[in-house]
Amino acid sequence: MPANEPVATTFTASVRESVAASLADVDADLARRYPGAPGTRQPVHTVYVPADAAAGDTALSWGEDALALLDEHAPDAAAFAAVLGLPDGLAGPVYERVRAKLATEPVEDLRIDFEDGYGPRPDAEEDAAAVRAAELVAAALAPDALRPAPAWAGIRTKCLEAPVRDRGIRTLDVFLTALTARGGIPDGLVLTLPKVSYPEQVRVMVRLCAEFERAHGLPDGRLRFELQIETTQAVLGADGRATVARMIDAADGRVTSLHYGTFDYSAACGVDAAHQSLDHPAADHAKAVMQTAAAGTGVRLSDGSTNVIPTGPTERVHDAWRLHHRLVRRSLARAYHQGWDMHPGHLPTRYAAVYAYYREGLDEAGARLAAYVASVGGDVMDEPATARALSGYLLRGLDCGALDTGEVARRTGLTRADLDGLAGRSSRTA
């Protein structure tokens, strides 16, 4: 038919307007509940240190300890690759980048722990530790902080269950008050609320944050927090509903991420200690529910940790490294781009797994994205959602140091700003 010839239709304008009106509430709810990815850098790990062990040089000492382990147990790229099964083409670049990372930013996200890693203490002792934690976080997140320093830092308080509730609230109060007195709430602050079981506990945390904001003249919503999912009730409630989805809703936009608690959750499910691991079926179920609940909400995901520590003779260190490397790779493949590390010896394999993951997929992701942008067909016909995923993949590799902008640009013909646009990132703030 001629291009200018009118096309016959049946639905009137009033029908379309009526449909739009009937779905207006749905449109608004979708926009509110599912704003999409936050468009900022996500750390690849969280390191937690008991409050009585945290120090101003924690990040530096962890990096030095990790490098010392490499020097002793894998002194060159070939030895490290042989332990982890890295292909020849990745061995050199991965090893070099891991060593550079351990020297410049060994800890991306630091959590000073007042919960399981700290335990019950006299009130005066915990008060003093909370003030000291504020001093350490303020120094670490200051614009002129001595390097290496984490990009994110904060505390994990005790939970809101009755036996420790008052102590947890007081530690949060003392910490935030001391932090505010030392220059205000810094960018990169992270608050972690553990052992959340009911949406009502999340609402209490929202109330505490709002009360503090009002008392100190802070903007509404300035304080946000992450939830540790480590009770069975947090995944599936007594009513048969996915509690974690209700928690995200109860947070009123303040929850930034969900962190899986490996050992508390496994124990709650009755898993024997010898089988408590990130790859247990009970863990996979919990994390799948978390992933589905968080999808599209802007709430990020973090896997848990392994308690197998790389210490002792070389054979034992290598076994622990292989286990940790495999678990990190497994998490990455399941879209859990962050995890918890418990020991400096976990850092080499954390970064080796992450760097190999992004470097081995660089050529394919770059070619597919270049073809998409050029609207050229190939072996795979990608859609906009896949282009967003490809861009996000490359951006995460850039953020953590696995890739550099030059090699990404050579494969895609795109700038960092181009990738931000394709991935839906509005900024590059950390």
Side-chain angles (χ1 to χ4, degrees):
M1 61 182 295
N4 296 328
E5 184 174 328
V7 176
T9 62
T10 300
F11 299 134
T12 64
S14 62
V15 169
R16 295 193 298 273
E17 292 166 0
S18 175
V19 168
S22 69
L23 292 177
D25 289 345
V26 171
D27 295 339
D29 202 50
L30 283 170
R32 179 181 70 84
R33 294 177 187 272
Y34 303 103
T40 53
R41 176 187 172 192
Q42 180 181 8
V44 301
H45 73 164
T46 298
V47 162
Y48 83 88
V49 179
D52 56 340
D57 65 348
T58 291
L60 174 64
S61 64
W62 273 57
E64 290 175 343
D65 290 348
L67 283 168
L69 272 175
L70 273 179
D71 289 341
E72 182 178 357
H73 300 290
D76 55 42
F80 197 45
V83 174
L84 302 182
L86 297 177
D88 292 341
L90 288 177
V94 167
Y95 190 74
E96 292 166 7
R97 286 172 185 267
V98 167
R99 292 193 69 96
K101 183 73 169 182
L102 295 176
T104 57
E105 193 187 38
V107 175
E108 291 195 354
D109 182 25
L110 175 66
R111 203 71 70 251
I112 300 174
D113 186 29
F114 287 88
E115 202 227 0
D116 287 346
Y118 185 70
R121 306 290 179 101
D123 284 340
E125 182 179 342
E126 184 156 340
D127 283 350
V131 172
R132 182 168 174 272
E135 295 169 349
L136 294 174
V137 169
L141 298 181
D144 58 350
L146 295 176
R147 302 298 171 190
W152 297 267
I155 64 169
R156 178 171 73 168
T157 63
K158 292 175 172 62
C159 70
L160 289 174
E161 293 176 352
V164 295
R165 180 184 303 142
D166 288 347
R167 182 61 257 183
I169 293 173
R170 181 172 176 83
T171 298
L172 178 67
D173 187 0
V174 171
F175 171 78
L176 288 175
T177 301
L179 190 61
T180 301
R182 285 159 176 77
I185 303 299
D187 293 336
L189 172 69
V190 187
L191 305 173
T192 304
L193 182 63
K195 294 181 175 61
V196 188
S197 299
Y198 281 71
E200 289 79 3
Q201 294 167 325
V202 178
R203 293 191 187 99
V204 165
M205 188 66 172
V206 169
R207 177 185 172 186
L208 294 171
C209 290
E211 293 276 2
F212 191 90
E213 290 164 352
R214 282 192 290 272
H216 290 271
L218 298 173
D220 182 47
R222 178 66 181 86
L223 295 175
R224 305 178 73 194
F225 53 91
E226 59 192 20
L227 302 176
Q228 279 202 277
I229 306 303
E230 45 191 340
T231 71
T232 55
Q233 295 88 352
V235 174
L236 188 67
D239 57 2
R241 298 165 64 186
T243 312
V244 65
R246 298 172 61 201
M247 289 175 176
I248 293 173
D249 193 52
D252 198 23
R254 290 185 186 263
V255 165
T256 58
S257 56
L258 306 174
H259 289 237
Y260 175 67
T262 310
F263 304 104
D264 283 285
Y265 189 86
S266 298
C269 289
V271 179
D272 291 332
H275 300 285
Q276 293 175 0
S277 176
L278 297 177
D279 59 354
H280 192 279
D284 284 341
H285 171 259
K287 288 182 286 188
V289 174
M290 291 165 58
Q291 190 170 47
T292 305
T297 65
V299 175
R300 286 168 162 159
L301 300 168
S302 175
D303 213 336
S305 59
T306 176
N307 59 0
V308 180
I309 306 301
T311 58
T314 295
E315 183 179 2
R316 186 181 302 168
V317 170
H318 286 182
D319 286 344
W321 272 351
R322 278 188 285 267
L323 172 64
H324 186 240
H325 182 264
R326 178 180 67 78
L327 291 172
V328 174
R329 286 292 307 232
R330 187 177 188 273
S331 296
L332 289 167
R334 285 158 175 76
Y336 271 73
H337 300 117
Q338 183 177 351
W340 281 56
D341 290 325
M342 300 177 66
H343 186 271
H346 288 143
L347 299 186
T349 38
R350 169 68 60 183
Y351 291 120
V354 170
Y355 288 2
Y357 177 77
Y358 289 113
R359 294 200 65 79
E360 70 190 15
L362 172 59
D363 287 339
E364 180 182 355
R368 287 176 66 179
L369 196 57
Y372 173 83
V373 172
S375 298
V376 176
D379 294 334
V380 180
M381 297 293 290
D382 288 317
E383 298 182 350
T386 304
R388 286 196 298 273
L390 290 167
S391 301
Y393 172 86
L394 295 174
L395 285 167
R396 288 193 300 274
L398 289 168
D399 285 341
C400 69
L403 311 174
D404 62 60
T405 54
E407 59 190 356
V408 172
R410 286 193 294 274
R411 289 163 174 81
T412 63
L414 302 173
T415 66
R416 174 70 190 243
D418 295 331
L419 293 173
D420 284 337
L422 285 168
R425 289 194 179 192
S426 59
S427 68
R428 289 178 52 194
T429 58

